[in-house]
Amino acid sequence: MRKFVLLVGLTLCFSPALNAQGLPAVKRVFSKISAAWRKDTPAAQKTAAKAALSRATPQISARRAQEQANQILARATAQTRRFGGPVITALEKNINRFVFTITQADGTHPFTGTGFVVAEEYQGKTVLWGVTAKHTITPFHGPLEITFHTPHKPVKFRVKRVIEGRKFGLDAALLELPPQAAQVALPFPLTYALPAQGETVFAYGYGAGKYQKIVRKFLFSGDERLVAKYPLIRKPKPGFCGSPVVNAKGQLVGVEAGGYCAVQTQWYPMLKQLPQYKRQNIRRVSEIVPTSKIYLLLREYHRAGAGARNIAANGILIGKLNVDEFIESVTVFYANGNHRTVVRNPFMNPAALESVIDTNNASGIVVNINKHRTQQRQYFLEMRTHEVREILQ
């Protein structure tokens, strides 16, 4: 190609017609020859390919990423091995494109967290989002950097946090991914899949910066949390919170929110009263933020206030719970002068407080809401008149 361009250029330069036009014409010819020469070099071809990639329509790229992920997850099913435990082969072969690590972009914070990719269909478009646990990114200040640990080399992107919940409430956060991330990322489709009691669930993430896979048995579903057994071996390490939790078909169940000793909680006696758990040794549990709460964050992102949940008791609307708040406690005052208080627990359903505390013969209910570490508010419901008062503290 280069030899052909050079030969044509020399032929034109020495042609009588071109010579009659003088030096300016010669310069124009050689400028065209030089441009053609540069375009034909390997470096120029590589640069042109990168430019074409950057001009790719984000919508097309996001949709292709979703289609590719759907093809992989369509083959996903848990298989039992004689050694090594169950696996979801189709998913686990590609897990480093579904899951990423999170660090502070300037490298000044040593902590490494975990997040994953989901796809949202909004107004006819496919949008890719990063998701993690709210408390996973709390230590970071300033821009965040995510890394997909692909087999060839790590691929990094700067991301921006756009909306967050609260650690003891809606413990999840949305990260805005750049359009170029669609060339690497594979998203989990958002579903309302809930495991059955005793079903095996899988979590994939990075504990202390190293890849981990955790397999557990699912216990029960609450409105604010799903609860699984805490693993006795291969325990998750710091940074694993924010990992995706999936069922045996690779369907997203929720966001890993951490484990703790259940015996010391107020709700443990409630759990042991249920017939299916009386004989089980459930001392440590893991909490999972259900996928439905990711939907709430997305709704809040698109329209302020749309992610707020109803607070109600016995069908009586008490107020609203915003995505960045959580119910700290509920106190019921009874007609005989007694009262009882329950604190936040996985059983609590804000829209049906009677599910966690007896409201029969109640004269009033006080709901304490943690709005900020230094700010709280209260709803007081007068049961006889159904009058509700809100108090800011």
Side-chain angles (χ1 to χ4, degrees), residues 168-185:
F168 296 112
L170 205 163
D171 190 6
L174 287 180
L175 307 177
E176 185 177 26
L177 304 182
Q180 297 84 351
Q183 307 298 322
V184 180

Side-chain angles (χ1 to χ4, degrees), residues 58-59 62-63 66 119-128:
Q59 168 58 21
R63 184 156 293 168
Q66 185 184 35
E120 178 199 20
E121 292 295 330
Y122 183 71
Q123 295 184 345
K125 296 181 180 180
T126 303
V127 183
L128 301 187

Side-chain angles (χ1 to χ4, degrees), residues 63-359:
R63 184 156 293 168
R64 285 177 179 170
Q66 185 184 35
E67 290 172 353
Q68 187 177 357
N70 289 343
Q71 291 172 1
I72 292 170
L73 294 174
R75 305 191 304 268
T77 182
Q79 299 172 329
T80 303
R81 298 180 299 177
R82 180 172 298 180
F83 303 103
V87 295
I88 307 177
T89 306
L91 174 61
E92 293 176 19
K93 282 184 177 179
N94 300 276
I95 197 63
N96 48 29
R97 294 180 61 189
F98 286 90
V99 180
F100 51 77
T101 55
I102 310 172
T103 54
Q104 190 160 301
D106 60 9
T108 57
H109 200 288
F111 181 70
T112 299
T114 302
F116 58 95
V117 186
V118 299
E120 178 199 20
E121 292 295 330
Y122 183 71
Q123 295 184 345
K125 296 181 180 180
T126 303
V127 183
L128 301 187
W129 292 96
V131 175
T132 186
K134 153 62 183 173
H135 75 271
T136 293
I137 59 175
T138 297
F140 299 134
H141 302 282
L144 304 177
E145 184 176 76
I146 66 170
T147 304
F148 291 91
H149 297 270
T150 60
H152 303 293
K153 64 175 182 179
V155 182
K156 302 177 182 290
F157 298 101
R158 288 283 183 99
V159 299
K160 182 173 66 175
R161 50 179 112 192
V162 291
I163 190 164
E164 306 168 19
R166 292 288 299 280
K167 178 179 179 180
F168 296 112
L170 205 163
D171 190 6
L174 287 180
L175 307 177
E176 185 177 26
L177 304 182
Q180 297 84 351
Q183 307 298 322
V184 180
L186 292 176
F188 288 101
L190 288 173
T191 65
Y192 284 101
L194 285 178
Q197 181 189 337
E199 185 178 339
T200 301
V201 292
F202 304 74
Y204 305 93
Y206 294 88
K210 295 183 179 180
Y211 174 73
Q212 279 191 288
K213 169 188 170 184
I214 306 294
V215 181
R216 292 160 293 184
K217 293 293 184 182
F218 185 75
L219 290 176
F220 63 88
S221 302
D223 183 77
E224 296 287 289
R225 290 287 192 274
L226 311 179
V227 178
K229 281 188 176 182
Y230 191 83
L232 298 178
I233 58 175
R234 297 179 183 174
K235 300 177 182 179
K237 297 179 180 179
F240 193 77
C241 288
S243 301
V245 182
V246 303
N247 61 17
K249 296 180 180 179
Q251 296 172 317
L252 184 65
V253 168
V255 186
E256 179 72 31
Y260 53 89
C261 181
V263 178
Q264 300 173 358
T265 65
Q266 187 190 53
W267 57 264
Y268 185 75
M270 299 169 61
L271 182 71
K272 296 302 288 184
Q273 287 176 7
L274 299 175
Q276 60 268 38
Y277 301 118
K278 278 186 176 180
R279 297 184 180 181
Q280 293 195 35
N281 182 19
I282 305 169
R283 302 186 64 82
R284 291 186 65 84
V285 297
S286 297
E287 287 194 355
I288 302 163
V289 180
T291 308
S292 60
K293 303 312 173 190
I294 302 176
Y295 277 107
L296 289 181
L297 287 182
L298 289 169
R299 289 172 58 185
E300 184 70 21
Y301 172 79
H302 294 302
R303 185 166 60 89
R309 294 98 84 198
N310 287 336
I311 303 175
N314 295 351
I316 305 169
L317 181 64
I318 299 174
K320 292 286 186 177
L321 184 66
N322 298 318
V323 294
D324 59 349
E325 301 174 328
F326 66 90
I327 295 178
E328 202 166 67
S329 65
V330 177
T331 301
V332 175
F333 295 89
Y334 298 99
N336 61 6
N338 294 331
H339 70 277
R340 183 186 174 199
T341 299
V342 295
V343 297
R344 183 202 74 87
N345 62 70
F347 294 94
M348 186 172 289
N349 179 354
L353 295 178
E354 67 274 10
S355 63
V356 292
I357 190 167
D358 183 15
T359 57

Side-chain angles (χ1 to χ4, degrees), residues 1-10 32-34 36-37:
M1 175 63 181
R2 294 188 196 179
K3 292 180 180 178
F4 175 74
V5 171
L6 182 60
L7 180 61
V8 171
L10 291 173
K32 292 180 180 179
I33 293 171
S34 177
W37 187 288

